[in-house]
Amino acid sequence: MPHDPKPMPAAPRPLSAPRCVWAADALLGEGALWSPRTQALWWVDILGRRLHRWRWQDGARSSWEFGEEVSAVAECGDGTDGTGLLLALRHGFATFDPQDGRLTPLHRPAGEPAHNRFNDGKCDAQGRFWAGSMDFDCAAPTGALYRFDPDGGCSRHDGGFAVTNGPTWSRDGGTMYFNDTVQAQVLAYDFDTVAGTVSGRRPWLRFAAQDGVPDGMCTDAAGRIWIAHWGGGCVSCHDPESAAELCRIALPARQITSCAFGGPDLCTLFVTSAATGLDAAARAAQPLAGALFAVALDSPGLPAHRFGDKA
């Protein structure tokens, strides 16, 4: 008897037009992360070497500047000795305490080319931090997928990427999605939640030329996958199995870089963008390039996992 396919999730519905909550003029905004603990949205400007925080209650803005690129952020959980945040920096990982500004280097993977840097990253449900490296010039396929563990261990799990983005996971944790951005494709892997390993790499979604290329992404509470479109001026929402597009939200900037659910009810989609590489005409046409945006939706996302904490 043939197996009946799972029904496609319902399409989410935006409840508002995208609004700019911070016209930061970020060169390369990325790494959106909602903190339920502080009710704030963390994000980074990679090329501007800044970490930003936007507070929900009053819209208060804070920024910290670093001596190198900072590309991704996760909260440290109760299961770590670190305080504050885990950061992906240009060549490795560090903890950062926003209260006193203390940056503590933790690990730099061996064998990474000097012209590489880290890019996007996120914690899995076991509190392990996954991050991709990439060629600084976005051309050579020298990037790799790494897992950094709370005990300080670091392992390499795939390679051959010019630009990496993601990852995110299926609702049950059994599939990891990871973006091979230059090749305009989203990859899927079988994910062993206990061992923290990937296998069965396969193409899951390929972007058409007019859609740009896939950048950061996240998963909502219904298991749908949300993807930022670099060069496509939007975020799109997809069925986690078929990859069919369920929804698309246009934004007033072309280079859309990451997305994360936040707000007290996790029903606000925060979206980052970039201003790097735009000529004068493009910059004039996109005055909000590099801004942080927010869109109210009719359904929630999932809270981000914390480094060192098991869900």
Side-chain angles (χ1 to χ4, degrees), residues 272-291:
T272 60
S273 63
T276 187
L278 298 179
D279 61 22
R283 198 69 185 86
Q286 302 172 58
L288 291 178

Side-chain angles (χ1 to χ4, degrees), residues 140-145 156 158-164 180 183 201:
T142 52
L145 171 63
R156 185 181 186 274
D158 202 359
F161 307 107
V163 176
T164 58
D180 183 358
Q183 299 301 320
R201 169 177 163 172

Side-chain angles (χ1 to χ4, degrees), residues 20 139-140 149 185 210 271 283 306:
C20 172
D149 299 337
Q185 65 178 346
Q210 67 270 20
V271 182
R283 198 69 185 86
R306 300 194 303 184

Side-chain angles (χ1 to χ4, degrees), residues 231-270:
C234 68
V235 291
S236 58
C237 175
H238 299 262
D239 178 275
E241 293 197 1
S242 70
E245 186 173 310
L246 304 172
C247 171
R248 180 174 292 211
I249 299 172
L251 291 138
R254 294 292 296 169
Q255 296 175 165
I256 303 303
T257 53
S258 76
C259 52
F261 282 88
D265 56 3
L266 295 179
C267 285
T268 298
L269 186 70
F270 289 95

Side-chain angles (χ1 to χ4, degrees), residues 58-121:
D58 54 7
R61 305 165 181 175
S62 303
S63 299
W64 294 261
E65 190 166 352
F66 295 85
E68 61 184 294
E69 291 76 13
V70 52
S71 64
V73 56
E75 282 194 296
C76 291
D78 299 331
T80 69
D81 293 330
T83 58
L85 304 170
L86 177 75
L87 303 181
L89 300 174
R90 177 165 184 168
H91 292 304
F93 309 107
T95 54
F96 178 67
D97 188 341
Q99 298 301 317
D100 60 16
R102 186 174 71 253
L103 182 71
T104 305
L106 298 177
H107 182 78
R108 176 172 176 165
E112 272 287 291
H115 58 79
N116 271 15
R117 67 167 177 82
F118 273 96
N119 199 39
D120 206 358

